[in-house]
Amino acid sequence: MMRYLKILLLLVWAFAGCKNRPDTAKQKKMAIIVSTLNNPWFVYLAQTAAAQAKTLGYESKIFDSQNNTALETDHFENAIASGYSAILFNPTDANGSVVNVLKAKKANVPVFCMDREVNTVDGATSQILSDSYSGSVSVGKFFVQTMHKKGNYVELLGLVADNNTWSRSKGFHSLVDYYPGLKMVAQQSADFDRNKAMEVMESILQAHPNVDAVFCGNDAMAMGAYQALVAAGKANRVKVFGFDGAEDVVQAIKENKISATGMQFPKVMAQTAANYADEYFKGKRDFPKKIPVAVELVTTDNINDYIAYGKKD
Amino acid sequence: MAKKALKYLLPVVVVVLLAINSVYFKKLNEVKASAIKQFNATAYARNYIDQQLLSAAGKAPETDQLLDQLKNKPDSTFKLYSHALDIGNIRFFMTKGQGTVTSIDDNNIYLLTPNKQTIKIATEYIFGNALRDAPGIISINDFTNTMDLNNVSAEINKIIRTDVTPPFKSKVKKGSNVIFAGAFELNQQHINLNNIEIIPVSLKITN
């Protein structure tokens, strides 16, 4: 009799535990690991992800990798050890970050990539990425039209280890290279960094004073290149094209200082990543491996439809 | 003596066998060729145009009617007829129609449709994802490599630039009657029907 009573009590306790499970789920936390907080675009991405996590009822914490994969590894180890249930991740290096994603997977912590991809199909649960290639095709078309199919131009590349750098460059060249009148006189990396872009552009202008245009892999570099052109007294003659939709470039397009940019939507990417993590916690498992987010061409013709990092509602 | 020889010979044989089976040689050009074989975007694009895109173009809504519906019921028209592989505001429509050429420039021809709407057909800038995405046939889950998907668009456009637009451009003139089919891009948050540019998949002069 006593034995049956014990079994009964055990069953009651077990069912009571099941009832409490949703409350435990509410206590799940999301780690937001971003490549750098030294660029306002990534600050916005991280803060939007944190805001969406909060809206969904989860705690979150932002980790800054400072463009350093070793630091990124530390963040992953800390996040896993501290019991974070999902990682919303903006990778530093498409190859170098793979090991971190796989480490999280081994610990059964889902990873949702935002904006930048990692070179593994199986590592991340889903990768929500800007369609950088197609966006650069649009910028490239406007570039050719603006340049009337001829002129000398410079290309400033981003971080060479980041896939976005090459997607943007390839998309741009997939169109521009059809026009032999457009000659690329220099192509150099400025690591997506404004100050470095200014230095690189200054040295390029010394070797190639007859430049007509600059295509930059992001807006920070576009602003750096523009500063170098101002210093050289060429800002009115040389056209600058960027990519991102950052606040200062949106303003610069309004003032006719920058010709165009490819507007990305960090809000869409960050919110989708947080929503996917929430759905994962609730049991969903069939996520698309990669989701591209459309990039829109912004010029002086349509600038009034846009604000920094997105579109006016 | 024989036992001692066997003692030394046996490990040597094992090491040699392991070495032979661990190393193999392939011609570099064969390795490169097999890497290229992984996905043939040109063949995929050709097959897509012949087997799927032209058929989808035949079933596409008439341009005059589609533009009217976009003016009057944009939300339901986007829902019914547009497709895109990306998430966001950029959507693509397939369409077909006819019109009379009113002007020609380096980059486009301009047609006046039976409903007196002027539309632009691209003859120079055949780029972007309109022809890949508009019919809604290709699924993103069929591609694990994003660059393969990008190359599909590039190859479709290349075929149109090679096979469709040059023979058309050499014959078309102001006043020609043209039957066309193609795809165009539209931003669903800021709809601008005045600057639609149709990327053609077929162009035929009827007079």
Side-chain angles (χ1 to χ4, degrees):
Chain A
M1 187 64 193
M2 200 59 186
R3 183 187 283 174
Y4 288 120
L5 195 68
K6 275 180 185 171
I7 291 168
L8 194 69
L9 279 171
L10 206 66
L11 282 169
V12 168
W13 177 78
F15 281 114
C18 288
K19 199 185 170 190
N20 283 336
R21 205 167 275 170
D23 295 336
T24 319
K26 276 283 171 201
Q27 288 161 11
K28 287 182 185 295
K29 301 183 288 182
M30 296 183 195
I32 300 160
I33 303 177
V34 289
S35 58
T36 176
L37 291 178
N38 198 25
N39 179 331
W41 196 93
F42 292 107
V43 173
Y44 183 79
L45 182 81
Q47 287 177 344
T48 308
Q52 185 65 9
K54 194 178 175 186
T55 304
L56 293 164
Y58 301 102
E59 268 183 49
S60 68
K61 185 180 174 185
I62 297 170
F63 298 83
D64 178 6
S65 303
Q66 296 173 22
N67 281 330
N68 180 341
T69 45
L71 190 56
E72 186 182 275
T73 303
D74 290 346
H75 292 331
F76 265 76
E77 283 168 358
N78 285 340
I80 294 164
S82 309
Y84 282 90
S85 319
I87 297 173
L88 313 185
F89 181 40
N90 171 248
T92 297
D93 184 309
N95 289 316
S97 300
V98 169
V99 64
N100 296 328
V101 172
L102 293 176
K103 201 175 282 178
K105 190 183 179 187
K106 202 174 170 190
N108 289 323
V109 177
V111 176
F112 300 91
C113 289
M114 304 180 288
D115 179 51
R116 290 179 175 176
E117 68 183 315
V118 285
N119 288 337
T120 171
V121 183
D122 301 323
T125 304
S126 187
Q127 305 197 49
I128 303 116
L129 313 165
S130 268
D131 192 348
S132 289
Y133 181 95
S134 305
S136 295
V137 171
S138 300
V139 175
K141 180 181 170 186
F142 185 71
F143 179 91
V144 175
Q145 289 170 327
T146 308
M147 300 296 293
H148 303 291
K149 301 173 189 170
K150 61 177 190 292
N152 297 326
Y153 73 93
V154 170
E155 181 183 6
L156 295 186
L157 297 163
L159 290 162
V160 290
D162 177 29
N163 284 7
N164 276 341
T165 296
W166 300 110
S167 296
R168 290 170 197 176
S169 183
K170 282 178 186 171
F172 178 78
H173 285 286
S174 76
L175 191 149
V176 173
D177 290 359
Y178 275 97
Y179 299 93
L182 288 164
K183 290 188 182 114
M184 185 169 70
V185 293
Q187 183 190 48
Q188 280 190 44
S189 169
D191 293 344
F192 290 135
D193 184 83
R194 182 174 180 150
N195 292 334
K196 193 162 182 192
M198 191 172 79
E199 287 166 21
V200 169
M201 194 64 209
E202 279 169 352
S203 83
I204 289 173
L205 284 172
Q206 284 174 6
H208 304 282
N210 295 323
V211 165
D212 302 301
V214 190
F215 170 65
C216 304
N218 80 342
D219 280 349
M221 294 193 293
M223 289 309 291
Y226 178 77
Q227 275 177 282
L229 290 164
V230 169
K234 294 173 188 284
N236 290 334
R237 201 182 66 76
V238 181
K239 295 181 178 5
V240 181
F241 299 77
F243 200 99
D244 269 350
E247 198 162 11
D248 43 8
V249 163
V250 167
Q251 187 57 34
I253 291 173
K254 280 182 186 162
E255 294 166 1
N256 271 319
K257 292 175 179 169
I258 302 283
S259 295
T261 190
M263 178 65 75
Q264 298 191 85
F265 293 87
K267 190 176 177 180
V268 174
M269 288 185 274
Q271 289 182 340
T272 307
N275 291 343
Y276 276 12
D278 176 49
E279 287 168 20
Y280 186 94
F281 297 156
K282 289 171 179 164
K284 185 179 171 178
R285 291 294 181 271
D286 58 331
F287 293 93
K289 282 291 171 194
K290 284 183 187 175
I291 283 279
V293 178
V295 173
E296 300 179 23
L297 175 71
V298 179
T299 69
T300 48
D301 290 340
N302 65 356
I303 188 68
N304 291 327
D305 291 343
Y306 295 87
I307 52 171
Y309 315 120
K311 204 161 189 119
K312 281 181 186 169
D313 291 327
Chain B
M1 184 66 185
K3 204 174 174 183
K4 201 173 182 183
L6 194 68
K7 190 180 166 187
Y8 286 107
L9 198 63
L10 202 64
V12 171
V13 170
V14 169
V15 168
V16 169
L17 278 172
L18 279 173
I20 287 169
N21 286 305
S22 309
V23 180
Y24 62 93
F25 296 92
K26 270 187 172 182
K27 285 182 181 173
L28 185 61
N29 57 356
E30 284 174 5
V31 173
K32 281 183 177 172
S34 71
I36 292 164
K37 264 183 201 168
Q38 282 173 0
F39 178 71
N40 186 340
T42 311
Y44 183 97
R46 173 65 71 186
N47 185 59
Y48 169 72
I49 291 172
D50 294 344
Q51 305 296 323
Q52 294 174 301
L53 186 60
L54 285 167
S55 155
K59 295 171 199 156
E62 291 282 339
T63 307
D64 274 337
Q65 288 157 21
L66 182 61
L67 293 179
D68 281 348
Q69 287 182 46
L70 279 166
K71 265 179 216 158
N72 300 322
K73 298 177 198 163
D75 290 348
S76 59
T77 309
F78 266 95
K79 214 169 271 178
L80 191 61
Y81 293 116
S82 77
H83 295 99
L85 292 186
D86 292 2
I87 56 173
N89 296 316
I90 306 284
R91 307 285 297 175
F92 301 96
F93 292 85
M94 282 303 289
T95 188
K96 66 173 190 277
Q98 56 182 301
T100 306
V101 177
T102 54
S103 66
I104 300 168
D105 63 25
D106 289 345
N107 304 324
N108 306 292
I109 63 156
Y110 300 83
L111 299 181
L112 191 66
T113 66
N115 275 11
K116 307 293 178 208
Q117 303 195 84
T118 297
I119 56 154
K120 183 164 73 176
I121 309 246
T123 52
E124 172 67 24
Y125 296 111
I126 312 289
F127 297 100
N129 299 326
L131 293 175
R132 184 195 69 185
D133 289 10
I137 294 167
I138 293 175
S139 164
I140 193 143
N141 294 324
D142 296 342
F143 294 83
T144 49
N145 185 339
T146 315
M147 200 44 77
D148 288 346
L149 202 55
N150 296 328
N151 288 336
V152 166
S153 277
E155 291 301 325
I156 294 167
N157 294 331
K158 198 187 279 181
I159 292 168
I160 301 300
R161 268 199 309 278
T162 311
D163 295 359
V164 177
T165 52
F168 175 77
K169 275 169 92 173
S170 66
K171 287 177 192 159
V172 71
K173 53 185 189 287
K174 201 173 165 183
S176 296
N177 288 318
V178 173
I179 294 175
F180 66 87
F184 65 89
E185 172 186 320
L186 209 54
N187 188 310
Q188 65 182 339
Q189 201 173 343
H190 290 275
I191 301 167
N192 180 3
L193 297 176
N194 297 322
N195 201 25
I196 281 175
E197 182 185 59
I198 295 173
I199 307 291
V201 63
S202 70
L203 289 165
K204 196 174 166 191
I205 300 166
T206 57
N207 69 336

